[in-house]
Amino acid sequence: MHVQLCLMKKKISNILAFFITFTLISFTVAQQNSASSHATARTDSQASFDKQRRLFYYSEQFGSGGEFESVSSQLNFDNSRLTSAYVGLQAWKQAIISDPLNLTSNWVGSHVCNYTGVFCSPSLDDPAIETVAGIDLNHGDLAGYLPEELGLLIDIALFHINSNRFCGKIPWSFKKLKHLFELDLSNNRFAGKFPYVVLHLPSLKFLDLRFNEFEGKVPKALFDKDLDAIFINHNRFAFELPDNLGNSPVSVIVLANNRFHGCVPPSLGNMSNTLNEAILTNNGLRSCLPKEIGSLKNLTVFDVSYNKLMGELPDSIGEMESLEHLDVTNNMFSGTIPESVCSLPNLQSFSFAYNFFTGEPPVCLDLGEFDDRRNCLRGRPVQRSRLQCKMFLARPVDCSVFKCRPVIPPKPLLPPPSPPILSPPPPSPSLPPPPPPPSPLPSPPPSPTPAVPPPPPPIHCIGSPPPPPLNFPPPPPLYSPPPPPSSFYFISPPPPLQSSPPPLFNSPPPPSPTKYFPPPPLNSQPPPLPIYSPPPPSNPPPHLPPPPSPPPCWQLQSPPPPSPPPCWQLQSPPPPVQPSIPPPSPIYYGPLPPIKGVDYASPPPPPFY
């Protein structure tokens, strides 16, 4: 009886197991059928999308202006370039996923020159051909990305899309835009590495990448490119400013609010012929200010606030005759402010708050706008405590510890190479034949031997020794400013003659934009040493490359030691003491956008972050 009961239970369990297995198999098959149907649906949808995209396909083998597989025969275009522009703009319209202002609603049909934000003009190579010459969709609040087909707009000179919500990367097809003069991608959501494609744009003069999410290093080649304005502020770039920064011929350079570090390159002084505004605010720059910046005679705005700069202000700043706004706030400068700085003829505002200055000339108090709070100035209100000042000033700053590379000025005199070409040695063998004068003959042969080392003159070390006495400002002539346009707004229509960015000041900006003063005549009083020509000589002298043994250097302050050390030999001084109370976090007030209605509308700053 017990055995039969066990067999019955076993049969029931087998039946239940079979039923459960059958149910699971049926359910699995149903799920697979459902999944396959969904996959088929997605595949059909993708195929439909691909088929629609093929309308805008172009083959690279035909180059720009090549053949297209399918453009409606009902569309008539005046020339093939407008056909290419139609394809590029229609592909871009599909890539725009949000258009709250309906800017692209009339992007229909073959009359691309009537599209909103699209501007046409006669082609540069053939005035009889009308082509798309510019795109301006500033402040459109458009969202989407830039498709590769935009490379078909081969004749555009202006591409302005600031203050939108475009994201992604800059398409590599932009390298085909050989006439692109102004590229404004500011105040969008582009991300990734620096868009290297801009280095392949031969006509580019104006580059604006500010207020995006670009990150990483900025290529050194950017500063060798013939640009007029570089705006890369408010990104996530992190790198050390390269030594070739001074090679750039720009009139405006704004690198603020990134993560730069290292030294302020002394080569900055090589930009004296072109630079009008330099804004390096709120980075991680840690060095002394090089005296070479005194060569920037045309500079009107110099802002290095909110960094970690140390040492004393160079006396050579007193030679920057056109300087109007100087801001060194929130650094670790010390010493006495040179009287020549506050005596600059055009200086309107000078902010040096949150430093460790110990001396302030009375002439500084006569400036229209100045800020000397939180220093170590006795008798002035709102200064640091004595303990803070004592701790910081206990150890003086030695600028050589930062290992900043000096700038070797180009050889002004090219005769030194000529002495090695000694014509006397060849005749010397002919002179020995006459026996009567044997005694004078030995003297000419030794003459070449000492002449070989002397031709290259000793290299003057720039950077470590202080400049010659410049304790008083040169008497530049007073001149009244002419009426060129305001220097704080960069005029965008092609090509801008006087270009400069919106103001960027951490101290209170002036109520009205300042006027641009023309480059003053070169004063004959200051020594010519700080005046450099931006490009190095085509054939550099033999002493420019670093030799195995350091060349002799003229020490300007103390006689050279018996053994000639390198120009930048570290003295291993104690590092400067960090302030006990850190300065307040930076508050950024700019760059402010130009007012709407001007030719070029720069992007307004996004919400503070």
Side-chain angles (χ1 to χ4, degrees):
M1 189 69 180
H2 180 69
V3 174
Q4 290 180 353
L5 184 60
C6 291
L7 290 174
M8 186 176 297
K9 287 183 179 180
K10 188 175 183 180
K11 286 181 181 181
I12 293 174
S13 61
N14 290 338
I15 293 173
L16 289 174
F18 175 78
F19 179 75
I20 293 173
T21 303
F22 179 78
T23 304
L24 289 175
I25 292 175
S26 302
F27 179 75
T28 303
V29 171
Q31 285 242 343
Q32 289 178 350
N33 292 337
S34 175
S36 63
S37 64
H38 283 294
T40 305
R42 285 196 299 269
T43 303
D44 293 342
S45 175
Q46 185 66 32
S48 175
F49 176 77
D50 292 341
K51 182 179 179 180
Q52 190 177 15
R53 286 287 289 168
R54 271 198 296 271
L55 170 65
F56 312 109
Y57 170 80
Y58 69 98
S59 175
E60 290 289 341
Q61 62 180 335
F62 296 105
S64 57
E67 298 294 333
F68 306 100
E69 288 200 355
S70 176
V71 174
S72 175
S73 59
Q74 297 179 355
L75 298 176
N76 296 320
F77 299 93
D78 294 339
N79 55 68
S80 60
R81 300 191 187 186
L82 293 179
T83 308
S84 301
Y86 169 80
V87 173
L89 293 172
Q90 291 300 320
W92 192 13
K93 183 179 181 180
Q94 288 191 357
I96 295 175
I97 60 175
S98 175
D99 182 6
L101 303 180
N102 293 322
L103 297 179
T104 61
S105 60
N106 67 342
W107 285 22
V108 179
S110 58
H111 299 290
V112 295
C113 296
N114 296 331
Y115 289 4
T116 300
V118 179
F119 303 94
C120 295
S121 69
S123 173
L124 294 178
D125 56 349
D126 187 356
I129 297 179
E130 188 178 34
T131 184
V132 174
I135 302 290
D136 189 348
L137 294 173
N138 288 345
H139 304 277
D141 199 23
L142 299 168
Y145 65 94
L146 305 182
E148 290 288 338
E149 286 86 349
L150 287 176
L152 291 169
L153 303 173
I154 58 173
D155 292 305
I156 63 171
L158 310 175
F159 191 78
H160 294 169
I161 57 168
N162 73 54
S163 303
N164 286 285
R165 292 175 286 149
F166 288 110
C167 61
K169 298 182 179 180
I170 313 306
W172 188 248
S173 63
F174 268 41
K175 66 181 180 180
K176 299 181 180 180
L177 310 182
K178 302 301 181 182
H179 302 294
L180 189 60
F181 186 86
E182 296 184 4
L183 178 61
D184 183 1
L185 308 176
S186 58
N187 201 15
N188 279 281
R189 299 175 183 178
F190 293 110
K193 295 183 179 180
F194 181 89
Y196 281 79
V197 67
V198 303
L199 302 179
H200 298 270
L201 301 175
S203 302
L204 189 66
K205 292 291 183 181
F206 177 90
L207 177 64
D208 193 346
L209 304 178
R210 52 185 161 170
F211 294 105
N212 278 288
E213 298 293 330
F214 292 113
E215 60 188 29
K217 295 183 177 181
V218 175
K220 294 176 63 175
L222 177 67
F223 305 108
D224 291 324
K225 192 169 176 59
D226 187 15
L227 296 172
D228 186 62
I230 297 177
F231 296 91
I232 58 175
N233 52 291
H234 287 82
N235 279 281
R236 298 170 180 242
F237 292 123
F239 77 116
E240 185 172 340
L241 292 181
D243 296 331
N244 70 329
L245 176 68
N247 294 351
S248 179
V250 296
S251 62
V252 180
I253 184 167
V254 184
L255 311 179
N257 294 84
N258 281 285
R259 301 171 184 173
F260 300 148
H261 55 275
C263 299
V264 176
S267 65
L268 195 66
N270 293 343
M271 306 170 73
S272 57
N273 293 334
T274 59
L275 190 62
N276 293 328
E277 300 185 11
I279 301 173
L280 313 178
T281 304
N282 196 21
N283 283 288
L285 300 176
R286 183 182 177 87
S287 71
C288 295
L289 275 183
K291 72 179 190 307
E292 286 81 2
I293 62 174
S295 303
L296 302 174
K297 308 291 185 181
N298 299 328
L299 195 69
T300 60
V301 177
F302 187 60
D303 191 342
V304 291
S305 57
Y306 294 96
N307 282 288
K308 301 176 183 178
L309 301 176
M310 302 183 186
E312 299 185 359
L313 287 185
D315 291 339
S316 59
I317 295 181
E319 302 174 18
M320 302 166 69
E321 301 168 351
S322 301
L323 193 62
E324 299 174 5
H325 301 276
L326 175 62
D327 195 342
V328 297
T329 301
N330 230 311
N331 283 284
M332 290 181 275
F333 288 115
S334 57
T336 301
I337 295 174
E339 184 176 354
S340 59
V341 175
C342 295
S343 301
L344 285 169
N346 297 310
L347 191 63
Q348 299 178 11
S349 67
F350 181 21
S351 179
F352 50 94
Y354 291 95
N355 282 285
F356 293 88
F357 288 112
T358 56
E360 177 183 28
V363 67
C364 295
L365 305 179
D366 298 333
L367 291 173
E369 296 181 9
F370 76 98
D371 188 357
D372 62 358
R373 295 170 300 148
R374 298 297 177 188
N375 279 282
C376 300
L377 303 171
R378 292 185 179 181
R380 293 294 299 165
V382 196
Q383 298 297 305
R384 295 184 184 272
S385 66
R386 291 188 177 183
L387 179 60
Q388 271 187 295
C389 295
K390 184 177 180 180
M391 291 180 62
F392 182 84
L393 301 173
R395 295 181 179 180
V397 177
D398 188 342
C399 295
S400 63
V401 300
F402 299 110
K403 304 179 182 179
C404 300
R405 297 182 182 180
V407 172
I408 300 177
K411 299 270 187 183
L413 303 174
L414 292 179
S418 60
I421 306 174
L422 298 173
S423 56
S428 62
S430 63
L431 292 176
S439 56
L441 287 177
S443 58
S447 63
T449 55
V452 175
I459 298 177
H460 298 270
C461 297
I462 308 300
S464 59
L470 299 172
N471 296 327
F472 53 89
L478 297 177
Y479 31 76
S480 59
S486 170
S487 73
F488 284 159
Y489 300 114
F490 194 97
I491 305 304
S492 163
L497 297 179
Q498 296 290 346
S499 54
S500 52
L504 176 62
F505 304 116
N506 292 322
S507 58
S512 62
T514 59
K515 294 182 178 297
Y516 170 79
F517 293 88
L522 213 77
N523 198 348
S524 60
Q525 187 168 356
L529 183 57
I531 303 176
Y532 313 107
S533 58
S538 57
N539 294 326
H543 284 74
L544 285 181
S549 62
C553 303
W554 295 101
Q555 301 292 339
L556 299 181
Q557 284 187 340
S558 59
S563 61
C567 304
W568 288 90
Q569 184 174 6
L570 299 182
Q571 304 296 331
S572 66
V577 181
Q578 298 288 340
S580 57
I581 299 179
S585 58
I587 301 176
Y588 184 73
Y589 295 104
L592 300 177
I595 304 171
K596 277 194 174 182
V598 296
D599 293 333
Y600 180 78
S602 178
F608 180 79
Y609 55 87

